[in-house]
């Protein structure tokens, strides 16, 4: 009896080994059997007991049988393009607009070469972030459409950076914009903000094509277009909505680039090899340091340094505002080693200076010991502009100054300018009961100015018919004097300049892009 039970158990174990499937590679979907091998109707269920006591003789498992099953490869993608193709997950768009954009891009191989070559610095990081969030890899190609992967790109509507953030939207996503840096151009910060924004838009619309339309046109406009179509009983997909031409071509452009990346041979396009490896590493900076010195210590060209740190507006990196910089992968350790060994004095030869009062560039340069031309160049001050009180300028750092720029300055500094107004010297005849105060009121200047121009006291009266000197804006010199008096004659002498109030221009919402 015991031998019978043992034999039955052995038969059960051998039957299980013969019928058990091989395990699939972790993270991969099990492959379905070929259609020809599937029965037309499912077989009747059989339990293990039935299989064990069937009349068929047991057969040994041969070595040749073990090699007949397919094995899923575990090799990583050969390059980054292959990795991107493997993450495509958006619904395909097939339309005449897509064909037009395919023709536009594929007929400009030099343009594609420049774009893809620029992208090699940033693509790996973007793909990593998309995969970490579980987002479609097509979104890694969006900077091709937005900026041709130029982090310094600026549209006529003031959208900036690789992802083309408008100033207001950038602030909504914590992208700081001040005198020293513009995080809309920062590689890490702008990518984080763009993917946050795209995820939010996808959550609103539940469709990537509509999310992309909203990224370009604004979520309010897309929502209103959908509501309009719903009222009219029309479709609400991307192709159904009434949109501006730029937005109507936006997703077709992305689809065209996707198709070219997916099938470069069909479009006679040669993609540069981009390794599936990080291009840059992050390095901590704990002291203010000149941009040129940082590049030299890292042993990289200044232009290459700026391409990885395009958010920097000035020739100095302030540790309180920019505590990290990006460097090519192999140069990060070179920088750290050279930084530790540096013994040539301060890392920064520049610092920040807060302007105490409204003044000309010439006056500011005189106070900080710079030439006017250098001060204008370093701080990007155009001609015929005054520097308003409270503005921050970059100026030479004195040899004895040990303190770095404070965080509240590094994070909030602004340069505010006002146009200069050319003034001309004129003379008028004083009327009866005329005084310094009455002349100042008439010409909208201060009593102190009138007193200085005429070398009298601030509260002095003028005799009737007395010649009174005033300085007036050039555009106002020909206006008739108030209270019926004759217009003053311009003498043509140069005079001190004063500021005029400027009405700021309103930013245009729409962005213009090619094609």
């Amino acid at each position: 009896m015991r031998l019978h039970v043992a034999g039955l158990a052995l038969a059960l174990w051998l039957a299980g080994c013969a019928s058990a499937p091989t395990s699939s590679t972790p993270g991969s979907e099990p492959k379905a059997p070929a259609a020809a091998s599937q029965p037309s109707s499912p077989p009747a269920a059989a339990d293990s007991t039935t299989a064990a006591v069937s009349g068929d003789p047991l057969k040994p498992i041969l070595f040749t049988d073990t090699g007949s099953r397919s094995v899923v490869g575990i090799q990583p993608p050969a390059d980054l393009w292959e990795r991107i193709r493997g993450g495509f997950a958006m619904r395909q768009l097939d339309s005449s607009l897509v064909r037009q954009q395919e023709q536009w891009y594929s007929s400009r191989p030099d343009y594609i070469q420049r774009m893809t070559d620029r992208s090699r610095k940033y693509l790996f990081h973007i793909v990593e972030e998309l995969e970490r969030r579980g987002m479609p890899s097509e979104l890694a190609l969006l900077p091709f459409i937005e900026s041709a992967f130029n982090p310094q790109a600026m549209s006529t509507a003031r959208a900036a950076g690789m992802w083309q953030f408008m100033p207001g939207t950038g602030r909504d996503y914590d992208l700081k914009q001040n005198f020293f840096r513009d995080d809309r151009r920062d590689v890490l910060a702008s990518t984080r903000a763009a993917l946050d924004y795209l995820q939010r838009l996808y959550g609103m619309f539940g469709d990537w094509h509509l999310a992309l339309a909203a990224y370009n046109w604004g979520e309010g406009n897309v929502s209103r277009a959908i509501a309009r179509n719903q009222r009219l009983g029309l479709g609400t997909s991307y192709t159904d909505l009434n949109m501006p031409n730029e937005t109507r071509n936006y997703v077709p452009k992305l689809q065209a680039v996707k198709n070219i990346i997916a099938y470069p041979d069909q479009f006679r396009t040669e993609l540069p090899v981009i390794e599936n490896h990080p291009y840059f590493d992050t390095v901590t900076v704990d002291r203010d340091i000149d941009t040129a010195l940082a590049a030299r210590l890292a042993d990289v060209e200044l232009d290459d340094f700026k391409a990885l740190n395009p958010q920097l507006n000035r020739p100095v990196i302030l540790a309180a505002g920019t505590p990290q910089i990006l460097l090519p992968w192999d140069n990060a350790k070179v920088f750290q080693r050279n930084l530790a060994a540096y013994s040539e004095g301060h890392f920064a030869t520049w610092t920040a200076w807060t302007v105490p009062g409204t003044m000309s560039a010439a006056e500011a340069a005189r106070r900080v010991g710079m030439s006017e031309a250098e001060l204008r160049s370093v701080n990007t001050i155009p001609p015929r502009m005054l520097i308003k009180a409270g503005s921050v300028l970059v100026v030479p750092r004195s040899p004895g100054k040990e303190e770095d720029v404070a965080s509240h300055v590094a994070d909030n500094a602004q340069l505010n300018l006002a146009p200069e107004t050319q003034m001309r010297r004129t003379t008028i005849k004083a009327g009866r009961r005329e005084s310094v105060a009455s002349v100042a009121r008439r010409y909208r200047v201060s009593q102190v100015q009138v007193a200085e121009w005429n070398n009298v006291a601030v509260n002095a009266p003028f005799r009737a018919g007395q010649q009174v000197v005033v300085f007036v804006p050039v555009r106002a010199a020909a206006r008739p004097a108030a209270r019926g008096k004759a217009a003053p004659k311009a003498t043509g002498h140069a005079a001190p300049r004063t500021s005029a109030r400027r009405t700021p221009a309103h930013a245009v919402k729409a962005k213009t892009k090619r094609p």
Side-chain angles (χ1 to χ4, degrees):
M1 180 65 182
R2 290 181 180 177
L3 290 173
H4 176 73
V5 171
L8 180 60
L10 178 61
L12 284 168
W13 181 77
L14 290 172
C17 290
S19 60
T22 58
S23 60
S24 60
T25 303
S28 65
E29 292 290 335
K31 291 189 177 181
S37 66
Q38 293 178 348
S40 57
S41 60
D47 59 27
S48 60
T49 304
T50 305
V53 299
S54 65
D56 296 334
L58 295 175
K59 296 179 180 180
I61 301 175
L62 301 177
F63 178 79
T64 53
D65 293 334
T66 62
S68 63
R69 297 182 184 274
S70 61
V71 178
V72 178
I74 59 173
Q75 288 294 323
D79 64 10
L80 199 57
W81 299 119
E82 183 179 332
R83 184 176 176 184
I84 291 171
R85 294 181 195 112
F88 285 163
M90 283 190 194
R91 174 168 46 87
Q92 290 289 105
L93 181 66
D94 190 5
S95 69
S96 59
L97 291 178
V98 175
R99 303 287 87 76
Q100 291 174 19
Q101 298 300 333
E102 287 174 344
Q103 173 64 26
W104 195 95
Y105 283 108
S106 60
S107 63
R108 292 164 172 80
D110 291 345
Y111 181 74
I112 290 182
Q113 182 66 34
R114 289 195 303 273
M115 282 201 308
T116 52
D117 193 56
R118 276 197 297 260
S119 73
R120 71 170 65 247
K121 295 180 176 67
Y122 320 111
L123 259 181
F124 182 89
H125 172 72
I126 297 172
V127 172
E128 286 273 294
E129 286 298 299
L130 289 171
E131 291 180 352
R132 186 177 64 81
R133 296 169 181 242
M135 299 171 73
S137 64
E138 287 96 331
L139 297 175
L141 309 177
L142 196 58
F144 283 123
I145 314 305
E146 286 288 341
S147 63
F149 264 102
N150 179 7
Q152 298 286 0
M154 176 75 77
S155 78
T156 56
R158 298 192 303 149
M162 251 191 329
W163 297 94
Q164 287 289 280
F165 272 96
M166 295 289 287
T169 310
R171 285 188 289 270
D172 290 343
Y173 285 86
D174 198 28
L175 298 178
K176 289 188 177 294
Q177 301 152 59
N178 58 49
F179 179 66
F180 289 103
R181 76 180 197 267
D182 188 343
D183 284 349
R184 295 178 299 162
R185 299 196 300 262
D186 185 284
V187 175
L188 303 186
S190 68
T191 298
R192 183 266 311 159
L195 301 193
D196 285 350
Y197 189 23
L198 286 164
Q199 278 187 311
R200 174 175 167 269
L201 293 172
Y202 180 74
M204 290 177 63
F205 298 105
D207 177 89
W208 280 114
H209 290 173
L210 291 176
L212 288 166
Y215 187 87
N216 175 259
W217 192 25
E219 58 261 44
N221 289 323
V222 172
S223 295
R224 284 187 288 272
I226 290 173
R228 187 183 308 116
N229 277 24
Q230 287 174 334
R231 288 194 302 269
L232 297 174
L234 302 174
T236 56
S237 69
Y238 173 81
T239 54
D240 294 321
L241 301 184
N242 183 19
M243 299 178 289
N245 284 336
E246 182 186 321
T247 309
R248 181 161 299 285
N249 281 281
Y250 192 64
V251 175
K253 287 180 186 178
L254 183 62
Q255 182 70 56
V257 172
K258 172 185 174 179
N259 293 346
I260 293 171
I261 299 300
Y263 308 105
D265 292 343
Q266 292 185 15
F267 295 94
R268 298 179 180 177
T269 298
E270 184 176 350
L271 299 175
V273 175
I274 301 181
E275 294 181 0
N276 187 26
H277 182 279
Y279 182 88
F280 57 75
D281 198 4
T282 304
V283 177
T284 300
V285 174
D286 55 12
R287 293 299 306 268
D288 293 357
I289 183 171
D290 289 353
T291 304
L293 177 60
R296 178 161 64 87
L297 294 179
D299 194 23
V300 298
E301 294 294 330
L302 185 58
D303 287 345
D304 292 333
F305 181 90
K306 290 180 177 179
L308 287 177
N309 301 277
Q311 75 277 15
L312 302 174
N313 291 335
R314 305 298 157 196
V316 62
I317 303 166
L318 304 184
T322 308
Q324 292 181 330
I325 58 173
L326 304 184
L327 293 171
W329 185 265
D330 293 331
N331 296 86
K333 287 184 173 56
V334 174
F335 173 81
Q336 291 170 323
R337 185 171 62 250
N338 290 338
L339 185 70
Y342 184 78
S343 59
E344 300 176 23
H346 290 307
F347 295 118
T349 60
W350 301 97
T351 190
W353 177 60
T354 302
V355 179
T358 299
M359 64 182 68
S360 67
E363 172 61 17
R366 184 187 66 79
R367 293 197 185 195
V368 299
M370 298 174 70
S371 69
E372 181 180 349
E374 184 182 21
L375 182 116
R376 287 186 181 276
S377 174
V378 171
N379 294 281
T380 325
I381 302 173
R384 295 181 297 279
M385 298 298 283
L386 292 173
I387 306 163
K388 298 181 74 172
S391 294
V392 173
L393 298 178
V394 169
V395 300
R397 179 172 177 162
S398 60
K401 183 178 176 61
E402 295 295 333
E403 306 83 15
D404 287 337
V405 176
S407 60
H408 71 274
V409 176
D411 282 336
N412 301 293
Q414 299 291 338
L415 173 61
N416 298 309
L417 304 173
E420 293 178 341
T421 302
Q422 183 68 45
M423 306 291 286
R424 288 190 179 276
R425 182 182 188 277
T426 65
T427 57
I428 61 172
K429 285 184 179 181
R432 287 181 296 177
R433 295 188 296 276
E434 197 80 81
S435 66
V436 169
S438 64
V439 172
R441 283 194 301 271
R442 191 192 317 171
Y443 289 94
R444 297 180 182 178
V445 294
S446 69
Q447 289 180 233
V448 173
Q449 287 175 303
V450 174
E452 288 178 351
W453 295 336
N454 292 275
N455 207 20
V456 296
V458 173
N459 57 355
F462 291 120
R463 300 185 309 276
Q466 181 179 343
Q467 296 288 318
V468 178
V469 175
V470 294
F471 289 92
V472 296
V474 172
R475 62 176 180 272
R479 293 177 185 170
R483 295 161 53 185
K485 291 181 173 54
K489 295 180 180 178
T491 61
H493 295 293
R497 294 174 175 177
T498 186
S499 62
R501 190 172 298 169
R502 178 178 62 174
T503 303
H506 294 287
V508 182
K509 176 71 175 176
K511 295 184 282 184
T512 56
K513 300 185 183 70
R514 64 101 339 256

